[in-house]
Amino acid sequence: MNNTTVSLTDVDKNNIAKAHNNNREVTPYWDFSELVATGELKSNTSDMIKYIKANISENQLNISLSHKYTFEGEDGALGLNWFFHTTKNGNTMYEHTGGTGGSRSSLEFFPKLQSGFIILTNSLANRKILEKDLSASVEKISS
């Protein structure tokens, strides 16, 4: 994953989309050097597809450990960095979403279907409808 980083050089900054606020104005990237896991990770779709594939294959110990349930409740379960849901079709979906002051991301995958998707936006767009539609499409296509 050569295009995933927490530190952007000047060259890197020219290669990522500028974030936008609700008024569609460019907003600065968030900098959480003290809390790196909170909005600091930057990546692209190619690297995120590699990440989805690695999670589906579970060939690495650190990845398989992140898939262990640490909490279960009525709305699903939690792992070390995943939310687990069972779809109405009975498939387990792993999900992690995030956002900062001008960007949003969603990553979902279905291990048994060997499928998943990533959404990366440079706006505060509401991605919930798109996530739901893409999840339904993945299940339909992969079944």
Side-chain angles (χ1 to χ4, degrees), residues 69-141:
Y69 288 14
T70 56
F71 172 81
E72 290 186 67
E74 290 181 22
D75 294 328
L78 298 170
L80 293 177
N81 65 323
W82 295 108
F83 296 92
F84 306 103
H85 305 284
T86 302
T87 68
K88 64 181 179 181
N89 296 326
N91 291 304
T92 300
M93 175 185 73
Y94 291 54
E95 169 199 27
H96 193 92
T97 63
T100 60
S103 300
R104 296 288 182 264
S105 63
S106 301
L107 189 150
E108 296 182 9
F109 70 93
F110 303 80
K112 289 185 180 168
L113 300 177
Q114 300 283 296
S115 298
F117 62 86
I118 179 77
I119 302 170
L120 303 173
T121 69
N122 66 330
S123 72
L124 298 178
N126 184 340
R127 62 189 182 272
K128 296 293 182 191
I129 294 170
L130 182 56
E131 289 169 354
K132 185 184 265 186
D133 290 346
L134 283 172
S135 291
S137 293
V138 166
E139 284 190 289
K140 185 176 183 178
I141 292 168

Side-chain angles (χ1 to χ4, degrees), residues 23-43:
N23 297 322
R24 298 187 174 150
E25 300 164 328
V26 173
T27 185
Y29 304 113
W30 283 14
D31 180 12
F32 291 118
S33 55
E34 293 80 20
L35 296 169
V36 175
T38 308
E40 197 65 13
L41 192 63
K42 286 108 176 139
S43 193

Side-chain angles (χ1 to χ4, degrees), residues 13-64:
K13 287 180 184 177
N14 292 324
N15 292 321
I16 67 171
K18 297 197 182 319
H20 292 80
N21 63 21
N22 283 334
N23 297 322
R24 298 187 174 150
E25 300 164 328
V26 173
T27 185
Y29 304 113
W30 283 14
D31 180 12
F32 291 118
S33 55
E34 293 80 20
L35 296 169
V36 175
T38 308
E40 197 65 13
L41 192 63
K42 286 108 176 139
S43 193
N44 66 11
T45 52
S46 296
D47 274 7
M48 291 291 93
I49 290 169
K50 291 175 187 175
Y51 188 59
I52 290 171
K53 288 178 178 180
N55 274 277
I56 289 172
S57 70
E58 282 195 335
N59 289 335
Q60 297 175 18
L61 179 60
N62 56 340
I63 287 178
S64 61

